[in-house]
Amino acid sequence: MKKRQKWKKNLMVMTAMTGLGFSVFYPDFSTPTSAVGQPDLPLPKEESFSIVQLEVPNQNAKDKLLELGIDLTHRASENNGIFEVDAVVTPTEISMLKTFGIKVKDTLVTEKQWKTRAAEREAALQQETNLTAAEDSLKILRANHYTNQSETFLYIEAKSTAGASASTALTATWTENGVEKSATLSRKVDAGEYLYHYLEVPVSTIPASVKLESSLGGAASSAVTEWLGKDKPGNPQTHYVKDFVDHYMDPTELYERAENLAKEFPDLVDIIEMPNKTNGYRRLAQAQIGSTQENSVVVTSKAWGHEGGNDISVEFKNPGSNDSSLKINVEGKKVLVDLANNSSGQIISTAKQVVDAINADSSASALITANTYRGNAGTGTVSSATVKLTDGLIAPANISRDPFTVKAIRIGKHRDGSKPGVLGYAQEHAREWVTPLVTIETAERLLRNYAHDGETKKLVDNLDIFLVPSTNPDGAHYTFYDYNMQRKNMTNYCGPAQSDPNNRNNWGVDINRNHSVGSAFDGFVGASTTNCTSGTFAGPAETSEPEAKNIVWLADENPNIKFAMNIHSYGGYFMWSPGAYDANRTTLPRPTAGEEAFYWAASDTILNDIQDYRGTVILPSRTGPVPDVLYSAAGNSADYLWYEKGIYAWDFEVGADLWDKETQKWKPVGFQPSFEEGHEEAMEFANGLIGMFKVAYNQSKDHQRPTSKVVPGGGKFTGPVDVTFETSEPATIYYTLDGSRPTFESAKINLSGVREDAEALKIAKTTTLKWFSVDAAGNIEKNYNPISKDKSNYNSATITIK
Ligand SMILES: [Zn+2]
């Protein structure tokens, strides 16, 4: 019993201190240590990270994982009661987990591999910058027409001097029967090398000439001549361009790309600037002076690093005279601390005394705040030293340090709220590099196929499409330049005891835990409200963060939004609400049986479209409500959209495991796979996102009323009867058993259990069932009006039991 209590105490300490990051377990860090007689505690060293697969033996250990704020990825599975999950951990965290019986099965990705990704991206970016810095020149290689058995085609091949960049798009225009037509060319790349752009489209008459224009400004034109191979067998396929991303993009680049699209397609695109600016890719400047926990002083600038904090320096000096007292002088941006001496000239100032002296000096405290190390009593004697403060941020100067305006790309022929809205938003979690590419690729496909592809035109003409490429740009900039594994935003809510520079990778709020439905503040599981360094820190309050407020704002401003996709990585999941359960494992209310059936039916369309690209199968075991296939995620944004705004809201986890034939095992892809793999994920999930648009389009065109019947029907029975409902399409059944007319307030048919079918009603005595059904598009069976009392065209059946 005693032992258990000790564990509990240590656990509380660990909970406060660990999480993802450089923090290390020091059980007695809060106990004041005397300066004499006890050895000083060393400062924690920065540790490297890896993604490992953990084997969690039981529910208790699983709960511990969440409690400790271990930084879990989105990939998890359960086999014979043993839970396996990928986590981002340090060696210290690994040894701590072992004490709870949690084993490391496999190391999946090392810090070195993440660094390689950043370097690869830099190289690609440099190439892109070199290529797209100036107007390109175009060369038309051929412009031909030919006619096969059934169709006449226009075929164009051209080269751009900037063709090696996937963002360089060439558009051809020509005239058929006096009508101007246009289409975007496809980019031909082989083994990573750009060859040329091309286009093959059926034409109604042979155009005399074609004109080519590049998105970079280059232009060329050519007469159209006949290709000799008149009888060349052709396959009159629709011309459809894709593949517009060729490297991982940071938010600055993503939003520049978005702005460029809006300029190029003013009739189809608006850029929406969302009102809640982020805190910004910025930090206060800091330094830590000292060699142990007892004698360390942490200083933090009042100004942001880039606004003067980085210019501050602090010097601890032995004045060289005996019996001198502690004095603070400030010269410009230099804080000079003359340390106190004893009669033999030895320094006697302790960390705590220096901290108090700095904070009491008005000139020094105008520049900086001083603290002891992580709440230490600071009884250790300090040494002379000179340090320069720094915010530690290393992104190049073109990455703004100011609060960032998050934008949505709004695409549609009619962007006035009159069409059904669909929303795709990515990168709530900063390190998920593939996710923004899904939105950019989707935007490019919609715009560049609009002129020529009927299916695309149908979607763009009939939907109001909102795409947010990077919900969490500050964290995303940080993940590209400073720390690959950043998940949260950059806002530090930790007090002084957690705000030393060694904790800089642990601050921030998990944007997908900051929402107000099923939140950790209401007791739901899967986020921390108290541990500011936890990987799933929910923030100081519900919807405290601008990144979360923006998604709420977008849904408020655009009540036409009916479908949403929250795009994450990795693991290859397709999920919907409920997304969280409470301490008793009671989930948020399940969708009705009809809604659940609609979710599954839509999955069929969306997952088939994903599979079309390269055969990736999103597994049935990774499809369904979040807690059924992954874990509880308190305060996630999809739950907010579904429960609060009535939006059909899904989560994608892009990056399905790859099957390794050699080992006969599924292999995870990680947050930042080689671009070769990341590119494929972006392509297949852009297919999936467009699949969701098709679902939205089909739903908007659904005016067919559902029909339903009970099985067995009304009649005479000798004993209790199980009654089920059959509907012509996914639809919610509202019913009564007391003879009253059914309304929207009546009972609904729910699921009989997790991942099961609709429930059956057990009828034990003679009962008249009255009911109606409503499909996902809101069509009501038989045009019944449940609100108006004079209508009675609902269904009715009497079960008579003798
Ligand atoms: Zn995520």
Side-chain angles (χ1 to χ4, degrees):
M1 196 62 207
K2 216 168 180 188
K3 199 172 173 190
R4 256 183 84 173
Q5 270 174 353
K6 188 166 176 233
W7 263 120
K8 205 169 166 197
K9 181 180 165 237
N10 284 352
L11 185 66
M12 279 161 60
V13 173
M14 287 188 287
T15 306
M17 292 201 55
T18 57
L20 81 168
F22 293 119
S23 49
V24 171
F25 172 33
Y26 282 95
D28 50 352
F29 82 105
S30 57
T31 319
T33 325
S34 94
V36 239
Q38 204 169 348
D40 284 351
L41 289 167
L43 289 166
K45 291 235 166 56
E46 290 199 359
E47 291 190 278
S48 68
F49 286 86
S50 41
I51 302 185
V52 299
Q53 185 168 52
L54 300 176
E55 191 179 287
V56 186
N58 50 42
Q59 188 61 46
N60 256 357
K62 189 175 167 186
D63 290 343
K64 282 284 176 281
L65 268 186
L66 296 177
E67 210 174 315
L68 294 172
I70 292 297
D71 185 11
L72 302 181
T73 72
H74 301 308
R75 180 176 177 267
S77 62
E78 201 154 354
N79 287 317
N80 302 324
I82 294 171
F83 183 64
E84 286 179 355
V85 64
D86 297 357
V88 183
V89 287
T90 63
T92 306
E93 286 174 328
I94 290 173
S95 43
M96 182 179 72
L97 291 173
K98 281 186 185 152
T99 65
F100 295 109
I102 297 167
K103 268 195 299 209
V104 171
K105 256 188 90 181
D106 261 321
T107 298
L108 306 169
V109 187
T110 64
E111 188 175 13
K112 202 169 149 227
Q113 285 167 291
W114 305 330
K115 296 236 156 94
T116 312
R117 296 292 168 257
E120 277 171 9
R121 178 184 165 271
E122 272 310 317
L125 196 59
Q126 196 49 49
Q127 194 200 10
E128 160 111 4
T129 312
N130 295 344
L131 281 170
T132 57
E135 186 176 300
D136 58 342
S137 57
L138 304 184
K139 187 171 163 193
I140 298 181
L141 304 172
R142 61 186 80 246
N144 295 139
H145 63 85
Y146 43 80
T147 304
N148 74 348
Q149 298 91 335
S150 56
E151 190 82 73
T152 298
F153 294 89
L154 170 66
Y155 178 73
I156 303 165
E157 250 177 51
K159 257 187 198 174
S160 156
T161 49
S165 163
S167 66
T168 305
L170 307 189
T171 308
T173 46
W174 66 94
T175 307
E176 289 173 38
N177 293 322
V179 181
E180 191 176 272
K181 301 269 179 148
S182 75
T184 301
L185 279 69
S186 297
R187 205 166 136 257
K188 176 96 174 170
V189 176
D190 185 58
E193 194 178 335
Y194 166 68
L195 301 178
Y196 52 84
H197 281 78
Y198 68 98
L199 168 75
E200 185 194 54
V201 285
V203 285
S204 54
T205 58
I206 295 163
S209 65
V210 289
K211 213 172 81 191
L212 273 194
E213 273 179 336
S214 157
S215 53
L216 295 175
S221 57
S222 167
V224 177
T225 58
E226 187 174 16
W227 172 250
L228 294 177
K230 235 181 180 176
D231 297 326
K232 182 172 168 253
N235 187 10
Q237 279 177 337
T238 357
H239 172 72
Y240 189 83
V241 279
K242 52 178 184 280
D243 202 346
F244 296 98
V245 292
D246 60 4
H247 62 275
Y248 290 120
M249 287 185 270
D250 71 33
T252 299
E253 197 188 349
L254 289 167
Y255 284 108
E256 269 170 26
R257 185 93 169 249
E259 295 284 357
N260 288 340
L261 286 175
K263 268 182 225 143
E264 198 180 338
F265 298 95
D267 295 341
L268 298 176
V269 182
D270 285 322
I271 297 295
I272 299 176
E273 299 202 341
M274 297 207 260
N276 304 285
K277 289 191 179 205
T278 66
N279 186 52
Y281 172 75
R282 60 181 180 178
R283 279 213 169 130
L284 302 174
Q286 290 194 300
Q288 183 171 324
I289 313 149
S291 53
T292 66
Q293 299 189 36
E294 284 71 25
N295 76 3
S296 280
V297 174
V298 175
V299 289
T300 306
S301 65
K302 291 275 166 83
W304 297 109
H306 68 289
E307 289 175 348
N310 290 340
D311 304 329
I312 299 171
S313 63
V314 175
E315 186 178 355
F316 289 2
K317 207 168 65 181
N318 185 343
S321 50
N322 299 349
D323 286 324
S324 62
S325 56
L326 182 60
K327 277 196 266 334
I328 309 287
N329 290 298
V330 175
E331 289 173 10
K333 293 282 181 82
K334 284 186 195 148
V335 177
L336 304 167
V337 181
D338 280 344
L339 302 168
N341 264 343
N342 63 14
S343 54
S344 47
Q346 280 175 315
I347 297 171
I348 53 166
S349 295
T350 66
K352 175 74 167 110
Q353 287 164 350
V354 172
V355 162
D356 291 344
I358 290 174
N359 292 338
D361 183 273
S362 61
S363 312
S365 63
L367 290 176
I368 56 174
T369 310
N371 288 103
T372 58
Y373 178 78
R374 298 197 182 179
N376 194 284
T379 51
T381 310
V382 302
S383 320
S384 5
T386 305
V387 293
K388 202 166 173 333
L389 276 65
T390 173
D391 60 13
L393 299 177
I394 56 177
N398 74 304
I399 304 302
S400 168
R401 266 62 174 170
D402 293 329
F404 197 94
T405 301
V406 183
K407 298 169 191 177
I409 312 171
R410 185 178 194 175
I411 297 175
K413 185 71 193 155
H414 310 281
R415 302 178 303 283
D416 54 7
S418 63
K419 299 288 178 185
V422 291
L423 165 65
Y425 59 109
Q427 206 167 35
E428 286 185 325
H429 292 148
R431 63 194 173 194
E432 298 165 9
W433 285 9
V434 177
T435 62
L437 303 184
V438 175
T439 61
I440 288 292
E441 172 70 16
T442 299
E444 294 266 3
R445 286 191 197 174
L446 292 173
L447 296 169
R448 301 202 184 280
N449 288 301
Y450 179 77
H452 215 87
D453 177 59
E455 181 74 17
T456 302
K457 189 167 168 26
K458 193 175 81 182
L459 297 177
V460 173
D461 284 350
N462 292 288
L463 294 173
D464 198 355
I465 298 160
F466 300 84
L467 297 167
V468 183
S470 179
T471 310
N472 173 12
D474 300 345
H477 281 128
Y478 196 66
T479 181
F480 276 107
Y481 297 103
D482 302 278
Y483 171 58
N484 291 54
M485 282 300 107
Q486 179 76 13
R487 166 184 167 106
K488 305 185 283 179
N489 72 4
M490 284 180 67
T491 305
N492 178 9
Y493 285 105
C494 294
Q498 299 285 326
S499 290
D500 55 282
N502 271 1
N503 248 339
R504 67 185 181 277
N505 292 336
N506 305 344
W507 302 326
V509 177
D510 186 340
I511 303 308
N512 204 29
R513 299 293 184 278
N514 187 234
H515 283 273
S516 58
V517 171
S519 79
F521 301 95
D522 293 336
F524 284 80
V525 171
S528 172
T529 58
T530 51
N531 180 2
C532 64
T533 60
S534 159
T536 53
F537 179 52
E542 289 174 353
T543 331
S544 58
E545 300 309 287
E547 294 87 349
K549 284 188 175 123
N550 281 331
I551 296 300
V552 171
W553 177 86
L554 200 60
D556 283 344
E557 283 295 295
N558 302 285
N560 59 326
I561 295 178
K562 294 283 179 281
F563 294 90
M565 188 69 72
N566 182 11
I567 308 168
H568 285 255
S569 77
Y570 61 87
Y573 288 81
F574 186 61
M575 302 179 288
W576 55 86
S577 291
Y581 50 72
D582 64 16
N584 304 318
R585 307 202 107 64
T586 305
T587 65
L588 286 165
R590 297 255 169 196
T592 66
E595 288 161 343
E596 183 82 358
F598 177 75
Y599 269 123
W600 282 101
S603 305
D604 194 52
T605 304
I606 295 167
L607 301 186
N608 268 301
D609 282 354
I610 291 173
Q611 190 184 19
D612 277 351
Y613 181 74
R614 59 162 173 168
T616 298
V617 174
I618 303 302
L619 305 175
S621 59
R622 293 186 175 188
T623 302
V626 181
D628 301 354
V629 297
L630 189 60
Y631 45 60
S632 176
N636 72 79
S637 56
D639 274 341
Y640 173 80
L641 295 175
W642 169 243
Y643 292 103
E644 205 59 42
K645 312 301 287 184
I647 294 170
Y648 278 96
W650 284 279
D651 303 290
F652 267 160
E653 296 285 353
V654 316
D657 293 358
L658 302 172
W659 179 250
D660 185 0
K661 271 193 185 160
E662 226 165 89
T663 59
Q664 292 284 298
K665 274 165 116 177
W666 289 107
K667 239 177 84 186
V669 294
F671 296 114
Q672 295 146 19
S674 72
F675 186 76
E676 197 185 354
E677 164 61 22
H679 168 269
E680 298 294 283
E681 294 171 15
M683 293 300 126
E684 63 194 1
F685 278 87
N687 272 20
L689 192 53
I690 293 168
M692 183 187 81
F693 301 163
K694 289 186 207 162
V695 168
Y697 171 82
N698 290 338
Q699 200 228 38
S700 76
K701 296 293 164 196
D702 174 11
H703 303 299
Q704 181 100 34
R705 300 184 182 283
T707 59
S708 63
K709 61 175 188 182
V710 288
V711 180
K716 289 196 170 81
F717 300 89
T718 52
V721 184
D722 280 347
V723 173
T724 58
F725 290 83
E726 281 180 4
T727 55
S728 56
E729 59 175 311
T732 296
I733 305 275
Y734 294 82
Y735 70 93
T736 65
L737 300 176
D738 61 2
S740 63
R741 56 190 298 280
T743 69
F744 287 128
E745 308 301 314
S746 303
K748 293 177 266 194
I749 291 294
N750 288 312
L751 295 172
S752 56
V754 170
R755 294 174 87 73
E756 291 188 45
D757 289 338
E759 63 185 333
L761 300 178
K762 200 168 255 328
I763 306 294
K765 59 176 207 280
T766 299
T767 300
T768 299
L769 276 151
K770 295 184 175 176
W771 79 93
F772 64 95
S773 65
V774 185
D775 71 12
N779 297 308
I780 304 177
E781 186 170 4
K782 295 181 181 169
N783 201 22
Y784 171 57
N785 184 345
I787 300 183
S788 149
K789 284 225 158 74
D790 47 300
K791 291 252 193 166
S792 59
N793 51 333
Y794 45 79
N795 302 301
S796 177
T798 300
I799 310 267
T800 306
I801 296 174
K802 286 202 281 190

